[in-house]
Amino acid sequence: MTAPTSAVSSIASERIVGPIILLGAPGAGKGTQAKLIAKTFAIPQISTGDLLRDNVARGTELGKAAKAIMEKGDLVPDKLVLDMVSGRLREADCQRGFILDGFPRTVVQAEWLDSFLEKERKDKGVTCEAAYAPPVVIQLKVDYNQLLQRIAGRRSCPACGRIYNVYLQPPKVEGKCDVDGATLVQRADDREDVVAERLKAYEAQTLPLVDYYSSGGRLVTVDGDQPVEEVMRQAFSAIEHVNRV
Ligand code: AP5
């Protein structure tokens, strides 16, 4: 899948894009869109869910602390997430911008991010100002029943990370990745009982971020209940409209 020509034509990979946040419920399509945006703008996708799952798989101290919480569908405590994200955002590949997928997820995390960006602007000076500008926030809105179907059908490739859906976006060969042929896997927290908890955590702790970001005029809402290509076209248009690219 490629990005819309009109959007790509105005984007040069060396240009500064700045921070982009994808906000949305579990299954809204954050990971799917983040991968497309990251590829087109040549900036890193920073998925706190992926980083946490990687820590769980490697059995790190963070992974051990997060595992049981994630399996219940609750949010990992802010302190643990912020320590992990602050290290990642200081890596060299973030200096033209980055796309945050699944972060921030609480008002505490959003306030921390604002302070982090402000400090980076001050410390790094005028050459890096745009890279750490206030973020463009894209909210993906999807109907509740559609979210449940998407999560139930989601499979992903353990090798390349590509996301599929057995109902909506099946691979060419059942159970195998189109890119590398690896056997597709289902996430441990995609069980029905856990999904209900994840959706509750979203409503209670993450939805308040819509108000938080609306007041700054940097929130764009996209109807995520459309084909991937159309969501992508509207997300790119939002980035171009609000952003500096
Ligand atoms: P995380 O990994 O972030 O999961 P999530 O937010 O629940 O989001 P998902 O990955 O389930 O969905 P998505 O929006 O990325 O949708 P996707 O593109 O895959 O977090 C997991 C856990 O980690 C949390 O519960 C928490 O415990 C912890 N955590 C993570 N970040 C944290 C933080 N900041 N603070 C505290 N705790 C944190 O798409 C879903 C499916 O739909 C796929 O099958 C896809 O193919 C399909 N699809 C996508 N778009 C479309 C479309 N337009 N049309 C049809 N199908 C589509």
Side-chain angles (χ1 to χ4, degrees), residues 24-33 47-50 52-53 66 69-70 73-78 81 101-106 109 140 146 150-151 153-155 163-166 168-169 187 189-190 198 224-229 231:
K30 302 182 296 295
T32 300
Q33 295 298 328
S47 157
T48 41
D50 286 348
L52 287 167
R53 280 186 288 278
I69 299 169
M70 294 171 77
D74 292 336
L75 295 189
V76 174
D78 288 329
V81 173
D101 157 12
F103 179 90
R105 238 170 163 106
T106 63
Q109 293 179 15
L140 299 176
Q146 175 71 5
R150 284 188 183 184
I151 295 173
R154 173 172 42 201
R155 302 289 183 275
I163 303 168
Y164 297 87
N165 192 288
V166 294
L168 306 162
Q169 296 174 312
R187 258 170 52 181
D189 62 349
D190 278 353
R198 286 165 59 200
D225 213 343
Q226 308 180 80
V228 170
E229 296 76 4
V231 177

